[in-house]
Amino acid sequence: MRIVLLGAPGSGKGTQAKKLMADRNIPQVSTGDMLREAVAAGTRFGLKAKSVMDAGNLVPDEVVLGIISERLSQPDAADGFILDGFPRTRKQAGDLEELLDQMGTPLDTAVLMDVDFEILMKRLTGRRTCSLTGKLLNVYFSPQQELDACTSAGGELIQREDDNEETIRNRLEVYRENTEPLIEYYGKRDKLTTIDAEGAIDEVYERLLAALD
Ligand code: AMP
């Protein structure tokens, strides 16, 4: 199964991709995660990407295409993959189509995860990671006892550097301008399925599975 998860920042692509990865045994390929790894590794390229990411802007298309083509040629992606956060521009979508054509493994479907703007803002501004367990939490939506469990065990609730309000507004604007046109792109190719991505994680996951079957 080769799928693209399409949706605004905060629509839950990463969360759902991880669940699907565990169930179907195909890798989640997240350009955001791979870029953050490069930043953490402190390479020269990582340092350059960091300022772009901190501002909520897009890393150049050629850079992400390079990362993606290398990643998709790894053996664990031979039987399928879940693309999370890629493609994000019309150019990236075209390049992906070309790459998959060359590999003889066309995309099965692009799933649009639809979430209301106000909910996106709360999901993003409230998003935290527990420094001890790596668990994703949200100060608005997670049960208080889960938040307390992290801090009382000595952990910290860490906010992603690009999850501050100013950067979030820009990321959503960048999404509207650059990524939303991909809805039409995949619609025209008859590859688009839209799911309601509001509500509990497990409910959304059920809708995702129904859309894929
Ligand atoms: P994400 O974790 O998907 O929200 O991505 C975090 C940041 O990484 C984005 O705001 C961009 O700066 C960068 N990024 C991730 N994926 C892409 C992509 N496909 N094209 C350009 N920039 C990207």
Side-chain angles (χ1 to χ4, degrees):
M1 182 196 295
R2 290 176 292 277
I3 67 170
V4 164
L5 290 184
L6 204 59
S11 59
K13 302 185 295 296
T15 303
Q16 298 297 330
K18 284 190 179 68
K19 283 179 80 71
L20 198 56
M21 170 167 74
D23 263 6
R24 301 278 165 111
N25 207 21
I26 49 173
Q28 167 202 18
V29 175
S30 157
T31 40
D33 284 350
M34 290 188 279
L35 288 164
R36 277 185 289 278
E37 277 164 24
V39 170
T43 58
R44 228 176 60 194
F45 157 71
L47 289 179
K48 253 205 229 159
K50 184 177 189 315
S51 57
V52 176
M53 292 168 74
D54 283 351
N57 292 320
L58 294 182
V59 171
D61 289 332
E62 317 80 68
V63 173
V64 276
L65 181 70
I67 295 177
I68 278 287
S69 52
E70 196 180 308
R71 181 65 187 88
L72 297 188
S73 64
Q74 303 289 315
D76 68 331
D79 292 334
F81 46 77
I82 307 148
L83 287 176
D84 157 15
F86 179 92
R88 255 176 158 97
T89 64
R90 172 76 180 64
K91 168 90 172 82
Q92 292 178 14
D95 286 345
L96 174 66
E97 199 173 320
E98 210 172 290
L99 178 71
L100 294 181
D101 276 352
Q102 280 167 14
M103 295 167 74
T105 53
L107 193 72
D108 293 311
T109 187
V111 180
L112 172 65
M113 304 193 36
D114 194 27
V115 179
D116 173 78
F117 180 82
E118 289 307 316
I119 295 181
L120 288 177
M121 282 306 284
K122 274 191 148 175
R123 283 191 183 172
L124 291 164
T125 54
R127 182 157 68 178
R128 302 286 187 279
T129 306
C130 177
S131 62
L132 282 183
T133 59
K135 193 176 167 68
L136 264 183
L137 297 161
N138 189 293
V139 295
Y140 299 115
F141 302 121
S142 298
Q144 192 59 44
Q145 63 214 79
E146 281 193 26
L147 296 162
D148 292 346
C150 175
T151 46
S152 57
E156 271 181 77
L157 294 170
I158 301 194
Q159 189 169 28
R160 246 171 71 167
E161 288 202 33
D162 58 353
D163 274 348
N164 62 77
E165 191 142 346
E166 191 189 337
T167 305
I168 288 169
R169 289 206 179 273
N170 188 41
R171 284 163 64 206
L172 291 172
E173 195 48 49
V174 166
Y175 171 77
R176 282 214 178 109
E177 198 170 308
N178 298 277
T179 313
E180 238 172 32
L182 300 188
I183 298 172
E184 196 191 330
Y185 179 93
Y186 287 114
K188 275 189 179 157
R189 283 158 178 74
D190 233 6
K191 297 233 175 199
L192 186 75
T193 316
T194 302
I195 62 164
D196 172 5
E198 290 180 13
I201 292 172
D202 288 343
E203 277 168 27
V204 175
Y205 188 58
E206 287 304 315
R207 292 181 208 132
L208 175 62
L209 291 182
L212 294 175
D213 284 339

